Amino acid sequence: MKIAFIGLGNMGGPMALNLLKAGHAVQAFDLSRPACDKLAAEGLPIAASAAEAVRGAQAVISMLPASQHVESLYLGEAGLLRLLSPGTLVIDCSTIAAASAQKVAQAAAALGLPSIDAPVSGGTGGAIAGTLTFMVGGDDAALALARPLLEKMGANIFHAGGAGAGQTAKICNNMLLGILMIGTSEALALGVANGLDPKVLSEIMRRSSGGNWALEKYNPMPGVMETAPASKGYAGGFGTDLMLKDLGLAQENATAVKASTPLGGLARSLYAAHSLGGQGALDFSSVIRLFQKA
């Protein structure tokens, strides 16, 4: 299948490579030249522009930072949707506002383009391994078209509902992730302040009632889990500013539907303080620094 892949960051790059390895003809593009050069060195064909990438494509997949980037890419007179032939499949894997996903879906439908919003969970490790979880919003027919491609990039595919539902599921998940990473960080910092070995404490909590995903796969304490960003200077992974964005989306949604999310609001404030402290580009697990002694 001829696929255009737009957005080659820490998540998008490995996803595009997995499609290429699966035998698909991929044309990729990113505004970042270093990102393009890195993937080109790994064999990924790079187009000169997004418009060139989608020329003749049977499917377009995007993985972009925020709502404004997705709307700018697809919508309006200069948007990519108008360059696509009817029947071209559109898959947006970005984490954005549900309202933005619905705008794209409506515009795509008006042009005869099946589309889904399919944000992901699983981190950079999952993107590389092809074990991501996709949370899909859209109709059954569009998902059926997308499933063979999603299966090359992920291990779990959940149909959350209509257009925008995938985004709603994602912000609920990431709000919980932000909260549990803060709680895990507090607990580890407390134990270390009392002289406990963080590896021992992590294993105790992992096998006890405090066990969670951070302790299993993404420990925030350096040196405990060599594959985690914490042991790599908090480089790569899922950035603090991206977590802050997602927590902001969750709070905007909570306000719109009058839902009570006090812990989500507190998590957003703590990540905002962490970002203002100059940590925005580091992995979100670096929030543990807020709770460590200087």
Side-chain angles (χ1 to χ4, degrees), residues 127-254:
I128 294 168
T131 57
L132 293 170
T133 292
F134 288 93
M135 308 166 206
V136 178
D139 62 36
D140 290 334
L143 175 54
L145 292 173
R147 188 175 292 275
L149 301 182
L150 301 183
E151 288 173 344
K152 300 303 181 185
M153 300 180 286
N156 302 291
I157 301 169
F158 294 102
H159 192 186
Q167 299 297 344
T168 300
K170 178 63 187 291
I171 62 171
C172 291
N173 178 79
N174 276 25
M175 182 177 73
L176 178 58
L177 175 60
I179 292 168
L180 71 83
M181 183 58 78
I182 288 171
T184 300
S185 295
E186 280 191 13
L188 285 170
L190 175 61
V192 170
N194 279 278
L196 296 186
D197 183 325
K199 288 187 178 182
V200 174
L201 178 57
S202 292
E203 188 63 9
I204 290 170
M205 294 193 298
R206 187 180 75 84
R207 294 179 178 271
S208 303
S209 55
N212 62 59
W213 184 85
L215 290 170
E216 288 282 350
K217 299 181 181 295
Y218 217 89
N219 197 293
M221 184 68 72
V224 173
M225 190 175 289
E226 67 178 48
T227 58
S231 296
K232 304 173 184 178
Y234 298 104
F238 184 63
T240 289
D241 282 343
L242 290 175
M243 175 55 80
L244 180 58
K245 178 208 69 170
D246 289 358
L247 290 168
L249 289 173
Q251 291 309 294
E252 290 170 11
N253 184 270

Side-chain angles (χ1 to χ4, degrees), residues 3-28:
I3 302 168
F5 202 109
I6 313 298
L8 303 174
N10 291 333
M11 297 294 289
M15 292 166 68
L17 282 174
N18 282 335
L19 290 169
L20 183 69
K21 292 173 184 176
H24 294 290
V26 182
Q27 283 287 323

Side-chain angles (χ1 to χ4, degrees), residues 21-89:
K21 292 173 184 176
H24 294 290
V26 182
Q27 283 287 323
F29 178 74
D30 193 289
L31 290 174
S32 167
R33 178 45 53 186
C36 289
D37 291 344
K38 177 179 180 294
L39 273 299
E42 298 185 54
L44 186 69
I46 304 295
S49 66
E52 180 180 304
V54 303
R55 188 174 294 124
Q58 297 165 283
V60 179
I61 302 175
S62 50
M63 176 59 96
L64 301 176
S67 298
Q68 64 267 29
H69 304 112
V70 174
E71 291 193 30
S72 176
L73 178 70
Y74 286 117
L75 303 180
E77 292 299 321
L80 287 190
L81 293 184
R82 295 188 176 276
L83 301 179
L84 306 179
S85 301
T88 303
L89 175 63

